Amino acid sequence: MTAPMPVTMSATLAADEALARRRRAGEQVLSLAGGEIGLPVLPALRERLAAAADRNAYGPVAGSPALRSAVAGYWGRRDLAIDPGLVVCGPGSKPLLFALLLAVGGDVVVPVPSWVSYTAQARLAGARPIPVRTRPGEGGVPDPAALREAVALARAAGRDPRCVVVTLPDNPTGTVAAPGTVERLAQAARDLDLVIVSDEIYCDLVFDPADRAVSPAAFAPERTVVTTGLTKNLALGGWRLGVARLPDGPLGREVHARLVGVASQIWSSTAAPVQAVAAYAFDEPPEVVGYVAAARRLHEAVVRAAAERFTAIGAELTPVRATCYLYPDFEPLRDHLARTHDVHGAHALATLLAERHGVGLLPGTAFGEDDSSLRIRVATSRLYGETEAERFEALAADDPTRLPWIKASLDRIAEVLTDIAIP
Amino acid sequence: MTAPMPVTMSATLAADEALARRRRAGEQVLSLAGGEIGLPVLPALRERLAAAADRNAYGPVAGSPALRSAVAGYWGRRDLAIDPGLVVCGPGSKPLLFALLLAVGGDVVVPVPSWVSYTAQARLAGARPIPVRTRPGEGGVPDPAALREAVALARAAGRDPRCVVVTLPDNPTGTVAAPGTVERLAQAARDLDLVIVSDEIYCDLVFDPADRAVSPAAFAPERTVVTTGLTKNLALGGWRLGVARLPDGPLGREVHARLVGVASQIWSSTAAPVQAVAAYAFDEPPEVVGYVAAARRLHEAVVRAAAERFTAIGAELTPVRATCYLYPDFEPLRDHLARTHDVHGAHALATLLAERHGVGLLPGTAFGEDDSSLRIRVATSRLYGETEAERFEALAADDPTRLPWIKASLDRIAEVLTDIAIP
């Protein structure tokens, strides 16, 4: 059988599975690879799932009316009011992003660096990704001037870019692009007639309210699709639910119809009991708001403490302002790594950390970087405890970095970094 | 924006949503369109979902070890023993079928008639469907001789067919292809080097054990992928879980790796609490076996009673042997329908039944037939009641066709058919 196209296993999921195998084999491993949020389910949401266990009908492809109305309310409270008829639910924001690429068609501009699946999804959708670098310290948004140039070049070469993906706040860098940059990106997309797909799954995980990400939907409302989900805010990755907000107007309604058509052929609908929970969660009752706030404080304390370990050994790091990700650059240590460890790129650096120290994280290559770069992505969201009791305690702690199990992981990071960095 | 390809909304889901809107608007409608199973969730499964509400991790892309082991046991009890490592779970068998088309690549042979989504999925996957007629009375399996001819022609024309889809038992015809036909199909697939994707979601809904469908995996184990799910057996369509059984051997392991790669990029994993329920259900404890047996008896009683209404007015109908579908052909009534109702094809016939009588069903065109044909598909799985109490009573009834709400629907079918068929 001739393979029609390369299919790469999601780098985060592959790394997670490899670490889980090593852990089962009795090895001591530190999981800094996948961005799964290691926190317990809010008890009120467990109760809602149990109460919805009689729901077994497919329901509408786009999601139940109650869910879509709650999601419209959620976006309304974030200055992105929308008709519930333009909300589409799917089994994760990942399938929605894939279906959007199919629905819009054409080639796709992706930021570099960016989340591991955009490029792979574009290829599966039959599109070619067009990589465009982000501006320093402003991850997730392709540099607007470079975007214009790249699209002009692609079109001159006969290609058909129709879409640009942005991540606000950003994975892998944990940064938030400035509103001015987002506005220029939106203006460029309008001038170039591109649909903007804005992945805002981390939008409630910005540490300082003053840093809040501004959506391109604020500047180009007629062409911006926004996606989010329950995965990051509420630690419900394993429940698989995401939502998309389609733009109002003729373009948005066309993309909406095509998106619902694609969804009807690929996944039919989203698990009905999970939809019932999501309708409750997107209404943002006080216990949900409280959980998200506690999780945000926890992410901030731990990711910043981890950041200090990287800067302490001389890695370069833009201050993290959101999410639970760090994207340190070991460039200042290049000579030392080459000389002492025969490490010349991020892939070799990640392998060294995994095989010598049992520390799993991802090389920048998984996010679209050249292998000569020495950037790696570190996710700290698995450090909150092994048991449910530890995780609840982490959520409630004033200073979670002093909890013994979190402190032990942070100390282990420091120890490993010192070992590889110090001559 | 130029659309890259036509995206058709799933005909069953579109018809269901249209009927639901009419019902909400106060119209009296009879839903014979979508194959959703209108039965309640088995209480033991509700309890299992509630008990699994703390599971929020992604887990392995292919599904939890417990689920894969239970599914391997399920197939083992059906003469299809398999290594749990070759079982892959997804959010419905629909996404698994789509991902398989992407994983195998190339063009796809589909039976005519066949389920509404195979052709649409093939187009979304960038493939071209190659339609091949089934043999009379043996739906779901392309005629093996015609398959050989069609693939030879396609290859001569420079196309690249790599896969053939079969449905055993069949939707839309409610028939079961004979083992001899399946064996010849398997031999043809081997000679032509095609992967067989065998959709066996109705495998436990064959009325007479002597009619049991034989999987092509029995004849071409090295190249047959089998799919099933919880949707039809256990009325859990809205919970979205399906599984695939990949063939052992080099071809199977290659397709398995590609399928898991595609799954990791499109949907990550399947709702974890639903996986926990599925692990329990695929183990087939007595209450699950009892529920499936009761549902099978109910489907048989109601679909056969409905069939009598169609044959009574002179429609042609192959005896239904499985599922809850009828596929009557109004050909004997062609002159009358043309003269009295200006109806010359299935689409117009379905429109007449919907608009004049509030009866929703699907024209054969949705299953790949020419519009000149007068075939329609009738699904009787929504007639079991409006309330949970009615539905439980239907499951338990000795003769469900005498329950007032089911009898009323059957009488309504007879009345409408008489109205359109009698001069």
Side-chain angles (χ1 to χ4, degrees), chain A residues 55 57 90-91 239-241 269-276, chain B residues 237-240 271 274:
Chain A
R55 305 204 183 184
W239 287 20
R240 311 306 307 127
L241 188 137
S269 61
T270 304
V274 177
Q275 286 193 51
Chain B
W239 287 20
R240 311 307 305 127
V274 177

Side-chain angles (χ1 to χ4, degrees), chain A residues 2 4-5 8 10 17 36 39 55-56 58 61 94-95 117 121 162 231 235 238-239 258 264-266 268 272, chain B residues 2 4-5 8 10 17 36 39 55-56 58 61 94-95 117 121 162 231 235 238-239 258 264-266 268 272:
Chain A
T2 319
M5 60 180 101
T8 317
S10 157
E17 294 193 15
E36 182 168 286
L39 288 174
R55 305 204 183 184
N56 61 336
Y58 293 104
V61 172
K94 185 184 265 192
S117 284
Q121 288 194 340
R162 294 193 209 157
T231 297
W239 287 20
R258 295 174 59 78
S264 79
Q265 302 293 5
I266 301 186
S268 297
Chain B
T2 318
M5 62 181 101
T8 317
S10 158
E17 293 193 14
E36 181 168 286
L39 288 174
R55 303 202 185 187
N56 60 337
Y58 292 106
V61 172
K94 185 184 265 190
S117 285
Q121 287 194 341
R162 292 191 210 161
T231 298
W239 287 20
R258 294 174 60 78
S264 79
Q265 302 293 5
I266 302 185
S268 298

